[in-house]
Amino acid sequence: MPEVMRAHSLTASTLLGDTKVPVPPLMFMKGEGEELVAISYLGSDLCGHVGIVHGGMLATMLDEGLARCCFAALPGKVGVTARLEIDFRKVCKSEGFVVLKARTEKVEGRKAWVRGRVEVLPMAEGEEWARDRGGSPFEEKGEVLVEAKGLFVEPRWAKVRDL
């Protein structure tokens, strides 16, 4: 993203910071818009209630993650959110790692349907450091926190944007 645009971006600027999202998510892609996995650390300043990540933050992560998952499958490699349905399953504790998983289910022309979820990053056996903080989102191995499905549409202007 060009630096001039970064300053005005919610996810590339506003939400970044030591007590928010200290580093961009570690992201893995499979195929041309087939699947995406992103690992993120969510800090203490992303909460709606003390210690609990705000649902709007999780919704933003899903919107960005599901969109990014399907972009490569669209003809112009860009899209906008047409519909996003979210089901919150459990609270997401702050100051911990989460995994966003997304899969493109169908692509028809300029439309892509994607499903995804945010879940707790499971703690590997023997990793006791997280428990030393007095509780952690790692306590529940791989539990689903939020699920979503979305429809993303490539705008008609995407064909002419580089002219």
Side-chain angles (χ1 to χ4, degrees), residues 1-2 10 20 25 35-36 49 66 73 76 83 85 110 112 116 127 136 138-139 142 147 149 159-160:
M1 174 180 297
L10 177 66
K20 298 174 188 175
E35 294 182 14
L36 173 140
H49 298 282
L66 272 61
R83 181 178 180 91
E85 296 177 42
R110 298 182 305 113
E127 285 186 335
S136 151
F138 295 96
E139 293 163 359
E147 295 177 304
K149 61 182 178 179
K159 290 181 182 177
V160 296

Side-chain angles (χ1 to χ4, degrees), residues 55-118:
M57 176 61 192
L58 298 171
T60 298
M61 288 176 62
L62 283 161
D63 184 32
E64 290 281 319
L66 272 61
R68 190 171 298 219
C69 178
C70 72
F71 281 180
L74 293 171
K77 312 295 184 216
V78 67
V80 296
T81 309
R83 181 178 180 91
L84 185 62
E85 296 177 42
I86 300 173
D87 292 313
F88 295 92
R89 302 291 182 205
K90 295 190 174 229
V91 298
C92 177
K93 296 178 185 176
S94 64
E95 299 186 73
F97 292 91
V98 295
V99 179
L100 185 148
K101 297 178 180 179
R103 175 177 290 144
T104 302
E105 295 192 315
K106 180 170 76 168
V107 178
E108 288 181 2
R110 298 182 305 113
K111 297 179 181 179
W113 288 263
V114 186
R115 281 191 181 273
R117 65 181 184 234
V118 174

